[in-house]
Amino acid sequence: MEHVPILVHRISPIGGRRVVVRIRGADTVLGLAFSDAGLVEFRRRIEIPDPDELVLGDSEVIAWQGGRPHQYE
């Protein structure tokens, strides 16, 4: 798998997707996103510029694992 700063894991049994960011070579869990708005908020909190554009567009810094991108349940 390619190494990207944001990894959105497969959908959990309760819904939502775990979101992990790689900072300085270490993975940090940001939380569970239940929508693109949640993912945008995680990115805003870690001060990523233009988080809306990076989440909603085709981004090379986000990897979606298992399932289709932007699907949370």
Side-chain angles (χ1 to χ4, degrees):
M1 176 171 56
E2 60 191 84
H3 295 287
V4 294
I6 302 285
L7 176 60
V8 182
H9 287 268
R10 63 184 42 90
I11 299 169
S12 76
I14 62 167
R17 299 174 87 139
R18 184 166 50 118
V19 180
V20 175
V21 63
R22 177 163 291 214
I23 300 172
R24 290 182 227 110
D27 290 343
T28 301
V29 176
L30 297 177
L32 198 60
F34 290 91
S35 67
D36 282 345
L39 186 54
V40 167
E41 178 61 17
F42 288 142
R43 293 191 59 120
R44 186 192 65 74
R45 288 180 188 174
I46 60 171
E47 300 178 357
I48 298 290
D50 299 321
D52 292 318
E53 182 180 324
L54 289 173
V55 170
L56 302 175
D58 292 328
S59 175
E60 294 180 6
V61 298
I62 298 176
W64 297 84
Q65 184 180 57
R68 293 183 14 222
H70 313 287
Q71 187 176 34
Y72 295 87
E73 51 181 61

